Amino acid sequence: MIKFFRHFRKTFLSENKFSKYFLYAIGEIILVVIGILIALQINNWNENRKSIAMGEEYLSGIKEDIKKDLVLIDSILSMNSKSISLITSIDSVYHRKWYFFTKENENFFQSPDTLDFQHIFYRDMSFRSKKGSYKSLIADGKTALISNKELFQTIQLIYDENQERLASTYEAIKEIELNIIKVYGYEKYNWTYSDLKNAKDEKIFSDLVNFTEQKYWHALNLLRLKENSKKVIKMIDKELLDD
């Protein structure tokens, strides 16, 4: 092709057909420009495909992290329900106050496991999120790869708001637990469920109710995180399917 154009150029110049050569030169320039534009378009297309693939990789990683978090959330909620069920089987204040949302969260108000009574003196395990993929997304400055802004905002809600609030309530629980263990060391090791029922009018019962109340608010934050996490998984599945 190049030899073909060179042949024409030499022919026009040798025959002094400058007007035809001028038109030829313009045509050659146009062809070169078109070639460059096509090459740029192909390169942009390739880069766009790479960006989409990288964005999907981040989303897949975040999804897998969230799925692991959901397993941990359910485990903590199960432990929380033990303490809440023990206290609420004795104290009906939870059922008298609308802000405890007892009807919406019936799983926390079941028949108590009285054999696992000592659990009421302890906090439950902390929530340690698997957030490696999200941290990488932020640290690498690749948030623009998530083109669905609603999806990215919901992901941010989970990691930057829901989990922060969860950590805050857990710190409050830890502080109360230290005081409970310090003041009620004997009761922690020697009391039974019957002792707690008989102590309904004593300070220890009031303290354990307050302790359990903090666990309950923590549990509600876990439920909120769980709901938003499941929402994100559905949104990620739809995003990956659409791509």
Side-chain angles (χ1 to χ4, degrees), residues 138-155:
I138 301 300
D140 296 342
K142 300 295 185 180
T143 57
L145 295 177
I146 313 300
S147 58
N148 187 329
K149 300 306 178 185
E150 182 185 359
L151 170 56
F152 181 64
Q153 288 172 359
T154 310
I155 292 173

Side-chain angles (χ1 to χ4, degrees), residues 38-186:
I38 291 174
L40 288 174
Q41 185 65 28
I42 292 174
N43 182 66
N44 289 338
W45 183 82
N46 287 332
E47 291 299 319
N48 186 52
R49 289 306 305 168
K50 289 179 181 178
S51 296
I52 291 174
M54 187 179 295
E56 290 177 347
E57 185 176 343
Y58 277 115
L59 286 177
S60 296
I62 290 172
K63 174 186 172 182
E64 292 305 311
D65 287 346
I66 291 176
K67 287 171 67 176
K68 294 174 183 176
D69 284 349
L70 285 172
V71 174
L72 179 58
I73 288 172
D74 283 337
S75 177
I76 298 174
L77 286 173
S78 177
M79 289 187 289
N80 259 318
S81 66
K82 292 182 179 181
S83 297
I84 297 168
S85 295
L86 282 165
I87 285 295
T88 56
S89 67
I90 303 171
D91 182 23
S92 61
V93 65
Y94 288 81
H95 301 85
R96 295 197 304 267
K97 303 292 180 65
W98 63 269
Y99 52 76
F100 281 104
F101 310 106
T102 54
K103 291 182 179 179
E104 295 86 345
N105 301 293
E106 293 181 350
N107 289 338
F108 292 128
F109 305 97
Q110 303 296 326
S111 298
D113 180 3
T114 58
L115 295 179
D116 194 16
F117 169 73
Q118 277 69 29
H119 188 82
I120 202 170
F121 289 95
Y122 297 94
R123 58 186 161 96
D124 300 308
M125 77 168 96
S126 63
F127 174 76
R128 297 185 180 276
S129 174
K130 304 290 185 183
K131 55 177 67 176
S133 296
Y134 178 71
K135 282 186 174 180
S136 294
L137 177 69
I138 301 300
D140 296 342
K142 300 295 185 180
T143 57
L145 295 177
I146 313 300
S147 58
N148 187 329
K149 300 306 178 185
E150 182 185 359
L151 170 56
F152 181 64
Q153 288 172 359
T154 310
I155 292 173
Q156 280 187 307
L157 176 67
I158 286 177
Y159 289 107
D160 299 339
E161 182 176 329
N162 291 161
Q163 291 191 10
E164 289 297 321
R165 182 177 299 176
L166 200 62
S168 178
T169 56
Y170 193 73
E171 287 303 312
I173 290 173
K174 285 170 63 176
E175 186 175 343
I176 296 174
E177 181 198 45
L178 291 175
N179 185 64
I180 290 290
I181 293 175
K182 179 180 178 181
V183 176
Y184 303 111
Y186 173 83

Side-chain angles (χ1 to χ4, degrees), residues 196-208:
L196 184 66
K197 290 182 66 174
N198 294 331
K200 184 169 172 53
D201 296 326
E202 296 180 16
K203 184 177 183 300
I204 181 175
F205 185 80
S206 176
D207 288 343
L208 289 174

